Amino acid sequence: IPFVTVPGTQPKVPITFEVADESDPGPYPIPPDVPIEGGATFPDGDRHVIVLDRATCTLYETGNAFQNPANVWVGYSGAVFDLNSHALRPATWTSADAAGLPILPGLLRYDEVNSGEITHAVRFTAPQTRNAYVWPARHKASALSGTQYPPMGTRFRLRASYPESASFSAHSLTIIRALKKYGMMLADNGSSWYLSGSPSPSWNDGAINTLKQVHG
């Protein structure tokens, strides 16, 4: 899931939301060349747009985002987070993620993985979730009530005794250690046990794919 940072002078553009009653209203500081998940011309998928205002530490996130010729944006839902605050969204409100959480803080980024240490929980998805949420999530997105299904916001940790064998790449071991210490937080419905990251040409798919040896 890509994101972009902008200066405080970035012009804000109008944006409207399908779920307006659970969204933070526009305008949002979306630059003309903002990266869109899946690509600007890709019509399907979540099409997340994530913009971080560096001057105010304000995070703007929206999903299913499209731009019309008049530079007016539309999206399914949108959320604005003050990253100087621990405040959560109102109870029952969604965000650009079904759990009502911010996306950016949970993404794996190449620079931190390459540094050898990740200092936060990781965002992940599951194909089936319960019609419930637990702190810090604020929203549910399911009709399933069985206790075999995890609520939104559930945190999973890799057991501390999981062996860090030589078959794992250095980058995979960094992620494994973060999953032992901080775990991963259920943020949305999606692929099974799917960890989310931000794109970089420096990622080595073969090295990261050694993580597939770890099973849920």
Side-chain angles (χ1 to χ4, degrees), residues 108 113 118 122 158 170-180 195 203 208 211:
L108 290 167
V113 174
I118 300 163
V122 182
L158 187 62
H171 285 173
S172 288
L173 286 173
T174 296
I175 297 171
I176 283 171
R177 289 163 187 154
L179 294 178
K180 290 181 177 184
L195 303 181
W203 286 116
I208 293 299
L211 276 174

Side-chain angles (χ1 to χ4, degrees), residues 1-5 34-35 48-52 59-62 96 103-104 107:
I1 302 177
F3 70 93
V4 67
T5 65
V34 68
H48 287 117
V49 167
I50 300 176
V51 179
L52 175 62
L59 177 63
Y60 299 82
E61 298 186 340
T62 182
I103 295 173
L104 179 60
L107 296 182

Side-chain angles (χ1 to χ4, degrees), residues 12-15 30-32 67-73:
K12 294 184 177 180
V13 297
I15 185 167
I30 302 175
Q67 181 186 25
N68 69 26
N71 199 31
V72 176
W73 286 78

